[in-house]
Amino acid sequence: MIRRPIHVAGVAALALAGTVAIGGCGGNDSAFVGGGAISTPAVSASPSAPGSGTPSTPDGTSTPAGPTSGWGPDLWSDNEGSSMMGGDGGSWGPGMMGNRMMGNWWLPGTGTRVQTLDQARQRATAFADRLGLRVGEVMQFSRNFYAELEISGGHLATEVLVNPADGAVQIEYGPAMMWNTDYGMHHGSRSQVRISATQARSIAQQWLRAHGNTLTAGDPEPYPGYYTLHTMRAGKISGMLSVNASTGQVWYHTWHGTYIATSQR
């Protein structure tokens, strides 16, 4: 299958996501933006996920529509294969944002399919080693593998995706890319943390209820600049969303597909 790069529209969607939260469910592609008033969030129009079609609903009533092309450099390339953000096509971080960006955002695949959680952990570890991080929880979805990266002491650093087709690893779309103040596009920014973990869970639950489903928000996991929470159905993981720790914006992760399994090791 020919992989087609995502052009200006995809980049614009990512850039816009820094100020507008992405919608991820129902027939209304909107998300609540907490701002300073958590109890009365405003409704904002939201762009689509990079490379996605119709966003999925968190209660699983429609097929998740994650990115269909563009792992790593391809997401930022034009038709000629040159990086739209100034990189060399081999890495996102330093090439795109300069030497101050911490680490390499992209690890090319080996060409071997990744089919198990252990294999995904091995690929995520190869990526984490570049940043001096270690791999925590690894999850398998129908579209990709997801892994949490940690610093020493178990504090969460960032989130990555592993491509099951060839083992390529990249910083995750959405919050990890746009909101993470240590490992994202806005590295070095120190936005004030105005939303507590308890408030983040309340915002997430309010957002889920407003979109007319019966999912519940799990425990918030703090990353630099935001929280990520599992969405739960009858006590079982369904998907995940993130809440910005400064603005209260909600970003539903539309790109994973159906949840399959988790490795805590």
Side-chain angles (χ1 to χ4, degrees):
M1 180 177 68
I2 299 174
R3 296 194 309 169
R4 293 186 175 88
I6 297 173
H7 307 298
V8 177
V11 177
L14 285 174
L16 184 59
T19 55
V20 182
I22 186 168
C25 63
N28 179 3
D29 286 352
S30 61
F32 284 116
V33 180
I38 317 168
S39 59
T40 56
V43 175
S44 171
S46 54
S48 297
S52 70
T54 304
S56 62
T57 61
D59 60 0
T61 56
S62 67
T63 302
T68 56
S69 65
W71 277 81
D74 282 355
L75 185 64
W76 300 97
S77 298
D78 58 23
N79 282 326
E80 304 303 320
S82 60
S83 171
M84 295 178 66
M85 299 298 287
D88 60 4
S91 64
W92 287 10
M96 190 169 68
M97 301 298 288
N99 292 330
R100 294 182 62 189
M101 175 61 69
M102 297 178 67
N104 190 330
W105 283 18
W106 163 253
L107 178 66
T110 62
T112 301
R113 289 191 62 82
V114 175
Q115 298 177 302
T116 69
L117 287 164
D118 283 344
Q119 291 171 336
R121 182 176 294 277
Q122 291 173 10
R123 294 300 299 154
T125 297
F127 179 92
D129 286 347
R130 294 182 167 194
L131 303 179
L133 302 174
R134 64 186 185 189
V135 180
E137 181 178 83
V138 178
M139 303 176 72
Q140 182 178 6
F141 293 88
S142 59
R143 290 184 178 270
N144 51 52
F145 289 88
Y146 160 96
E148 298 178 343
L149 301 191
E150 305 172 346
I151 62 174
S152 59
H155 297 290
L156 295 168
T158 189
E159 304 165 278
V160 299
L161 299 177
V162 179
N163 187 343
D166 65 357
V169 187
Q170 66 173 71
I171 294 289
E172 187 181 22
Y173 310 111
M177 188 184 296
M178 301 300 300
W179 291 348
N180 195 305
T181 54
D182 286 349
Y183 296 89
M185 291 181 66
H186 302 291
H187 159 65
S189 65
R190 284 292 178 266
S191 300
Q192 183 179 4
V193 175
R194 300 170 58 238
I195 307 296
S196 69
T198 299
Q199 290 171 323
R201 187 171 189 173
S202 177
I203 291 170
Q205 191 61 59
Q206 182 180 3
W207 189 88
L208 290 168
R209 284 198 305 267
H211 284 79
N213 66 82
T214 59
L215 295 179
T216 58
D219 295 331
E221 297 185 318
Y223 288 89
Y226 66 101
Y227 303 90
T228 290
L229 306 83
H230 296 322
T231 56
M232 315 291 291
R233 181 188 295 107
K236 297 181 180 180
I237 295 172
S238 171
M240 63 181 70
L241 55 73
S242 297
V243 177
N244 190 295
S246 177
T247 66
Q249 291 173 298
V250 170
W251 197 327
Y252 188 78
H253 298 206
T254 63
W255 43 86
H256 294 303
T258 303
Y259 168 75
I260 298 173
T262 296
S263 166
Q264 299 287 353
R265 178 176 56 82

